[in-house]
Amino acid sequence: MKIGVIGLQGDIAEHISAVHKAMREENISGEVVWIRKAEQINGLDRIILPGGESTTIGKLIVKAGIDVALREVAQKGTPIMGTCAGLVLLANEGDDHVVKTGQVLLGLMDIKIKRNAFGRQPESFETDLDISELGSRPFRGVFIRAPAIEKAGKNVQILAKFEDKIVAARQKNLLVTSFHPELTDDTRFHSYFLRLH
Ligand code: GLN
């Protein structure tokens, strides 16, 4: 299996090591590739769009032509996981601020997102989440200036909520989290993504 992590800005190395760990645990052989160019996108079995600053990542992926390549493979069914800023980028609708600033959205998933949905105080926190797809043991959610999903279309499966806000969801081959599964030792979310079909 060949997994690409879009690596222009954000927590790229953390995702690469989380994928390696999940592959070992799931007994999946293959490679993880740091993606910097659009030409590297074709032929990937899985793609991760990491957290970071969604406005910056948006500008950089457009400059590199990665936005076009991602839309193409997403429509063909390649599984893509977006975490935090990656969730923002996959959405088809943003909050007023996103609209006003005209920041880039890939528009692939039928969700409306709100950036920094948990306010400035506290900007970052951790909490246990119940995610039934991962089993009965809670999953530690690490939230860093996290977005939330305000509205989801009917073909979107809600995987986790925190304080009535949707913080993890799936739409066919697309998987998103408000939190950072790559910043915990628990690889269940990455394993779930590797097994997605
Ligand atoms: N608030 C950031 C954004 O909207 C996301 C933060 C993160 O990825 N940790 O771009």
Side-chain angles (χ1 to χ4, degrees):
M1 189 182 266
K2 193 171 173 187
I3 295 118
V5 179
I6 305 295
L8 299 176
Q9 192 264 340
D11 52 350
I12 302 146
E14 291 84 350
H15 267 298
I16 291 177
S17 55
V19 175
H20 278 304
K21 196 167 169 223
M23 284 170 92
R24 278 197 301 275
E25 277 164 21
E26 295 293 312
N27 250 322
I28 296 171
S29 56
E31 56 172 330
V32 192
V33 191
W34 187 310
I35 305 296
R36 294 184 174 87
K37 292 184 179 151
E39 304 85 78
Q40 293 172 283
I41 301 273
N42 254 320
L44 294 173
D45 301 301
R46 298 276 187 280
I47 298 169
I48 294 178
L49 202 45
E53 183 55 45
S54 59
T55 47
T56 307
I57 299 175
K59 281 182 200 149
L60 294 174
I61 59 175
V62 169
K63 201 165 158 212
I66 288 177
D67 57 331
V68 179
L70 277 178
R71 284 195 191 99
E72 250 172 51
V73 294
Q75 272 141 19
K76 284 188 203 148
T78 303
I80 302 179
M81 171 161 84
T83 58
C84 204
L87 173 155
V88 173
L89 286 159
L90 287 175
N92 66 1
E93 198 182 345
D95 56 35
D96 289 349
H97 185 70
V98 171
V99 173
K100 226 183 287 164
T101 57
Q103 85 171 79
V104 174
L105 299 180
L106 292 167
L108 290 168
M109 204 166 160
D110 191 11
I111 52 174
K112 178 177 182 188
I113 57 87
K114 184 174 167 58
R115 287 182 67 191
N116 304 312
F118 299 92
R120 303 227 148 251
Q121 278 301 330
E123 283 197 335
S124 305
F125 60 94
E126 291 187 19
T127 189
D128 279 342
L129 299 167
D130 284 322
I131 308 179
S132 62
E133 296 280 336
L134 303 184
S136 55
R137 193 159 43 92
F139 189 87
R140 194 77 178 154
V142 178
F143 291 78
I144 305 170
R145 296 187 308 286
I149 298 170
E150 286 193 312
K151 234 167 46 188
K154 56 181 183 313
N155 42 4
V156 176
Q157 180 192 4
I158 294 164
L159 300 178
K161 280 189 168 188
F162 174 64
E163 289 180 343
D164 289 332
K165 295 185 173 86
I166 304 167
V167 294
R170 173 184 176 182
Q171 180 182 325
K172 289 188 203 139
N173 53 323
L174 307 173
L175 185 64
V176 288
T177 64
S178 296
F179 50 91
H180 290 266
E182 75 287 4
L183 297 183
T184 64
D185 286 334
D186 191 339
T187 53
R188 281 179 295 159
F189 217 96
H190 284 80
S191 294
Y192 175 70
F193 176 59
L194 295 180
R195 288 194 310 262
L196 210 68
H197 57 263

